C-alpha cells in the first residue's frame, strides 16, 4: 500500500506512517515492533486482532475505548463469530481475510448500522497486516476515523 492510497484521515495517516516506519526493510512489522504507548494519541481508536486459522476467524486482542463508546460494547478478547453471531459476516470477514491472504492493508468505509440499538455511525477503517515473518500475517492492526 502506497502512502498516496490513504484517505485524508488523521488516525489512518498516523497509523500508516508508524506501521511503515516499524517495518523497516521488511514487508510487515511484527507485533513486538508495535508499542501502544507510541500510539497513545490514536490508541482509543485502535483495534488489534489475532488471526485464527489463517483468517477463519479473528480475536480482538485490543479494542480501543473510543470504539467501546461508539459501539456500545467491549469486544476485547472476543472473536468475530462471538460478537456478530446473529448477523451476516460476509463483508467484515472478507475485508480482514483480504489483509491476511494478500499481506497488504486495505481501507474500508463502513457504517455501524449492524449494531442493534445504536445510532447509525459512518467510519473509515485502515487495516494493516502484522507478521512475525513476512510470509504469514499473524495479527491485524486497525484504526478507525469516525465521520
Amino acid at each position: 500500500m502506497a502512502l498516496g492510497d490513504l484517505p485524508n484521515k488523521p488516525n489512518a495517516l498516523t497509523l500508516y506512517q508508524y506501521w511503515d516506519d516499524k517495518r523497516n526493510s521488511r514487508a510487515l512489522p511484527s507485533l513486538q515492533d508495535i508499542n501502544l504507548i507510541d500510539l497513545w494519541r490514536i490508541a482509543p481508536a485502535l483495534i488489534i486482532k489475532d488471526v485464527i486459522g489463517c483468517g477463519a476467524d479473528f480475536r480482538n486482542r485490543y479494542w480501543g475505548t473510543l470504539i467501546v463508546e461508539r459501539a456500545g460494547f467491549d469486544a476485547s478478547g472476543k472473536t468475530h463469530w462471538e460478537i456478530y453471531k446473529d448477523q451476516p459476516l460476509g463483508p467484515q470477514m472478507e475485508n480482514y481475510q483480504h489483509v491476511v491472504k494478500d499481506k497488504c492493508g486495505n481501507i474500508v468505509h463502513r457504517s455501524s448500522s449492524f449494531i442493534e440499538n445504536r445510532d447509525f455511525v459512518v467510519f473509515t477503517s485502515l487495516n494493516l497486516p502484522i507478521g512475525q515473518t513476512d510470509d504469514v500475517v499473524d495479527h491485524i492492526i486497525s484504526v478507525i476515523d469516525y465521520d
Side-chain angles (χ1 to χ4, degrees), residues 45-120:
L46 286 176
I47 299 171
I48 298 177
K49 296 181 177 299
D50 298 335
V51 177
I52 300 171
C54 299
D57 203 354
F58 302 90
R59 181 174 309 279
N60 292 309
R61 176 180 288 252
Y62 179 86
W63 184 268
T65 56
L66 180 60
I67 300 163
V68 170
E69 178 184 314
R70 292 292 183 103
F73 61 91
D74 185 356
S76 298
K78 294 187 168 92
T79 67
H80 270 252
W81 288 106
E82 292 169 330
I83 299 166
Y84 307 109
K85 57 186 169 263
D86 298 326
Q87 300 164 39
L89 289 176
Q92 287 179 278
M93 290 295 277
E94 289 167 8
N95 290 323
Y96 294 120
Q97 288 167 338
H98 168 75
V99 173
V100 172
K101 179 181 161 239
D102 296 337
K103 301 176 192 75
C104 69
N106 62 26
I107 298 164
V108 179
H109 304 284
R110 293 199 43 119
S111 73
S112 62
S113 59
F114 60 89
I115 300 174
E116 200 173 310
N117 300 320
R118 299 303 291 180
D119 290 335
F120 186 83

Side-chain angles (χ1 to χ4, degrees), residues 4 6 14 19 25 32 59 62 64 77 81 89 118 120-121 130 137 142 147:
L6 289 178
T14 298
W19 178 87
S25 61
Q32 291 76 22
R59 181 174 309 279
Y62 179 86
W81 288 106
L89 289 176
R118 299 303 291 180
F120 186 83
V121 177
I130 298 174
V137 175
S142 304
D147 291 352

